[in-house]
Amino acid sequence: MTLSRYLDECAIRAAAVLGHGVEASISLREHGISLRAGSSTPGAGRCDQAEARADTGPCIDAMRRGTVLTTRLADMVPGWEAWQAAAEAEGFVQALAVPAEVGPGARVAINVYSRTPGDWPAGLVDAAVGHAALAADAVRLQLQFADLGDAVAGLYRTMTDRATVEQAVGAIMASNDCPEDEARAVLHTAADRRGLTEREVAEAIVRTLVLGGEGDVIGDLDR
């Protein structure tokens, strides 16, 4: 099973276990690029796409800060307008963003969306923390398997720079539902801000999602 497919199922299970009609979406952030890796419903996924393309929102900010964030759609947060518009269009009234550490420079976060106002039910936040940790474990294992596979067969390191970048650009386009020029700009900006080559950033995306299985990549972006 590919990582993206597993995290889709992880988001579906999280929403079912958390109950109360919530929907969930999971994002992965590595080298400053966030990829929407799984969603329990298309609506939750669309919210995370809008957030990622705007480069800000509860899930992205939770990963940046390493802390749980709660927000009510009625409370405007500067910079979150694109995400807020998408969430309101889906009928959500509040969201909970829970990050988890994967390893150096990599985090995941689960965004929990609700159409019901009021306080989060008792135990729901703790349960969401647990599901975020499970998602982080899955990504950590994926990276270990990718490294092991490369040690044996030289999978991604034998790819040319151009082939690696093209695979990563394709993953970004699928993630964000964005045009090619936007995907290339995101990859270039992420590399430039960290003093890395585009190959290095692209390789991180490829080894995590594209070479992790059959290549059915689902994702979104962050800087």
Side-chain angles (χ1 to χ4, degrees):
M1 179 182 292
T2 62
L3 179 64
S4 59
R5 188 171 301 158
Y6 174 84
L7 292 179
D8 261 332
E9 293 189 3
C10 186
I12 292 169
R13 287 197 301 270
V17 171
L18 296 176
H20 307 284
V22 302
E23 299 174 27
S25 192
I26 297 172
S27 292
L28 160 70
R29 184 181 182 196
E30 187 175 18
H31 280 311
I33 294 179
S34 276
L35 299 147
R36 181 180 60 86
S39 302
S40 67
T41 62
R46 284 190 291 268
C47 292
D48 277 16
Q49 283 190 325
E51 174 182 8
R53 292 190 67 175
D55 195 30
T56 186
C59 189
I60 291 174
D61 285 7
M63 287 190 285
R64 284 177 176 148
R65 302 176 192 176
T67 187
V68 174
L69 295 179
T70 62
T71 183
R72 303 185 193 283
L73 272 297
D75 301 327
M76 174 64 74
V77 177
W80 289 11
E81 290 84 1
W83 169 84
Q84 185 170 21
E88 288 178 340
E90 299 294 338
F92 298 122
V93 298
Q94 61 178 333
L96 169 71
V98 182
E101 194 81 19
V102 173
R107 281 178 174 159
V108 298
I110 182 168
N111 247 348
V112 181
Y113 294 95
S114 176
R115 294 182 173 85
T116 304
D119 295 336
W120 291 101
L124 187 145
V125 175
D126 288 341
V129 169
H131 281 281
L134 287 174
D137 287 342
V139 174
R140 194 177 303 113
L141 284 172
Q142 174 72 14
L143 295 176
Q144 292 172 356
F145 282 129
D147 287 341
L148 178 61
D150 184 65
V152 174
L155 289 173
Y156 56 84
R157 295 195 188 279
T158 59
M159 296 171 65
T160 65
D161 289 354
R162 181 174 180 178
T164 306
V165 168
E166 291 305 311
Q167 287 245 33
V169 167
I172 292 169
M173 291 171 65
S175 303
N176 277 1
D177 190 25
C178 69
E180 181 179 346
D181 59 347
E182 183 177 325
R184 291 188 185 281
V186 169
L187 184 64
H188 175 77
T189 300
D192 187 58
R193 283 176 176 158
R194 284 157 182 76
L196 301 171
T197 65
E198 289 189 13
R199 162 63 187 250
E200 289 174 308
V201 177
E203 190 175 283
I205 296 172
V206 169
R207 76 190 182 99
T208 303
L209 293 178
V210 179
L211 293 178
E214 300 166 8
D216 56 335
V217 177
I218 302 172
D220 266 74
L221 287 189
D222 163 67
R223 67 184 179 188

